[in-house]
């Protein structure tokens, strides 16, 4: 049996976490799968290199990763007091994951190699996700479901 059945407080915390972070977790798993899975049926690298499509994919994947992580944090706790710590932590996690994945690809697989430009695209995508989230948050975008600390009554 799971520990959760014996400790309702832990089960509630776990379910609350999943309620807010499930989209982020699915996206994270998709990134990890795509980063380490053999892609035999995908177009040859020469097509990707000509179009720089590979870098755009890396950029977009990590943009969405950092955006979804921030969205999850702010939906879980709408009145964020430590916004800069959350933004910095999100950047560290997203960029760190991009660096770790690139470093581990040649070690854990025989069909992937380390690329500095992929790592750079991952980091720039993570930064872009944070910038877009902050911009939407500053505009009071309703779907963020957040309220700034200054509006507490």
């Amino acid at each position: 049996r799971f520990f959760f059945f014996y400790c309702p407080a832990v089960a509630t915390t776990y379910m609350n976490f999943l309620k807010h972070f499930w989209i982020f977790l699915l996206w994270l798993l998709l990134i990890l799968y795509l980063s380490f899975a053999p892609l035999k049926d995908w177009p040859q690298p020469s097509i990707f290199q000509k179009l720089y499509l590979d870098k755009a994919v890396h950029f977009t994947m990590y943009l969405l990763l950092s955006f979804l992580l921030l969205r999850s944090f702010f939906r879980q706790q709408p009145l964020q007091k430590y916004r800069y710590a959350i933004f910095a932590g999100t950047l560290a996690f997203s960029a760190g994951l991009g660096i770790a994945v690139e470093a581990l690809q040649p070690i854990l697989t025989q069909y992937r190699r380390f690329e500095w430009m992929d790592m750079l695209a991952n980091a720039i995508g993570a930064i872009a996700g944070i910038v877009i989230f902050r911009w939407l948050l500053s505009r009071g975008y309703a779907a963020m479901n957040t309220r700034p600390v200054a509006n507490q009554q």
Side-chain angles (χ1 to χ4, degrees):
R1 290 191 171 200
F2 290 106
F3 177 70
F4 305 126
F5 294 121
Y6 299 111
C7 186
V10 172
T12 303
T13 302
Y14 178 73
M15 294 309 289
N16 189 36
F17 175 82
L18 283 180
K19 175 183 165 186
H20 297 289
F21 287 84
W22 70 273
I23 296 173
F24 163 75
L25 291 172
L26 284 176
W27 189 252
L28 175 63
L29 290 174
L30 179 66
I31 287 175
L32 292 174
Y33 173 76
L34 292 175
S35 296
F36 294 105
L39 304 174
K40 298 173 193 167
D41 300 330
W42 285 42
Q44 296 301 316
S46 62
I47 294 170
F48 282 117
Q49 289 173 353
K50 288 179 184 175
L51 299 176
Y52 294 102
L53 187 59
D54 179 50
K55 305 314 175 236
V57 168
H58 280 267
F59 175 85
T60 304
M61 286 174 34
Y62 283 83
L63 180 148
L64 287 171
L65 181 74
S66 63
F67 184 89
L68 290 173
L69 181 57
L70 284 172
R71 181 180 173 272
S72 300
F73 276 127
F74 279 78
R75 286 183 68 97
Q76 182 186 32
Q77 190 65 261
L79 300 174
Q80 293 292 340
K81 295 180 183 177
Y82 307 106
R83 289 180 180 228
Y84 292 110
I86 291 169
F87 289 126
T90 297
L91 178 60
F93 175 80
S94 300
L97 179 70
I99 292 167
V101 163
E102 284 302 316
L104 289 172
Q105 280 180 340
I107 296 169
L108 299 178
T109 68
Q110 295 179 356
Y111 43 84
R112 297 292 184 116
R113 59 190 166 105
F114 177 85
E115 290 188 33
W116 285 103
M117 293 304 289
D118 285 351
M119 191 169 49
L120 184 62
N122 295 345
I124 293 171
I127 292 168
I130 293 168
V131 169
I132 291 170
F133 184 87
R134 288 191 66 176
W135 180 77
L136 289 172
L137 197 62
S138 72
R139 299 289 186 264
Y141 185 62
M144 291 296 131
N145 193 23
T146 63
R147 296 183 306 264
V149 175
N151 291 347
Q152 288 186 32
Q153 296 294 335

